[in-house]
Amino acid sequence: MMATFQLELVSPEKLLLSRAVEMAVLPATEGEMGVLPGHAPMIVALRGGIISVTEGGQVTDRLFVAGGFAEVTPDRCTVLADEATPVAQISRTEAEARIRVAEDAYNAAAGDTPEKRDAAMATLLSARAMLAAAQAA
């Protein structure tokens, strides 16, 4: 039997997942990050992307997160997601609409502070990641 750790995925609305898993791959802002039992403690920021959950040697869940944070300890990983949706339930139409809104917001932020431009770009990249997840589903 493979070693496991407790994975909890929480969105503002509800606890989406809480169970023992073998591995989780998170869309950290620095790149994909694999979490296994015994991982060094850390807190990482998440970008828009897919969390893959492995149990019994295979991927059992794929969830799109729009961003958030993950707290990792040797025996637990808690993901605080701005929003999380199973990949199979992502609407391509909604993702395309989000991209249009985010592009408009980014263009409108052209004369704004760098922080506002960066936030608008992060929203746009998250919307593009959502569309990519919808197309992959």
Side-chain angles (χ1 to χ4, degrees), residues 29-136:
T29 51
E30 301 81 30
E32 299 291 299
M33 177 181 142
V35 178
L36 293 163
H39 198 288
M42 61 176 55
I43 294 178
V44 294
L46 303 178
R47 60 182 159 74
I50 295 172
I51 293 178
S52 296
V53 179
T54 300
E55 297 170 276
Q58 58 192 355
V59 173
T60 56
D61 293 88
R62 295 177 77 241
L63 300 121
F64 172 80
V65 291
F69 290 89
E71 181 183 17
V72 181
T73 67
D75 57 2
R76 174 179 302 272
C77 176
T78 304
V79 175
L80 306 169
D82 299 338
E83 170 191 347
T85 311
V87 168
Q89 294 172 18
I90 293 176
S91 157
R92 187 173 177 158
T93 307
E94 184 189 335
E96 288 168 346
R98 278 193 195 196
I99 289 172
R100 285 192 295 276
V101 170
E103 283 173 343
D104 290 345
Y106 180 70
N107 292 333
D112 253 323
T113 63
E115 293 79 15
K116 286 194 176 156
R117 286 197 307 272
D118 287 351
M121 177 51 78
T123 301
L124 177 55
L125 292 174
S126 177
R128 287 179 179 162
M130 184 181 186
L131 179 60
Q135 289 170 333

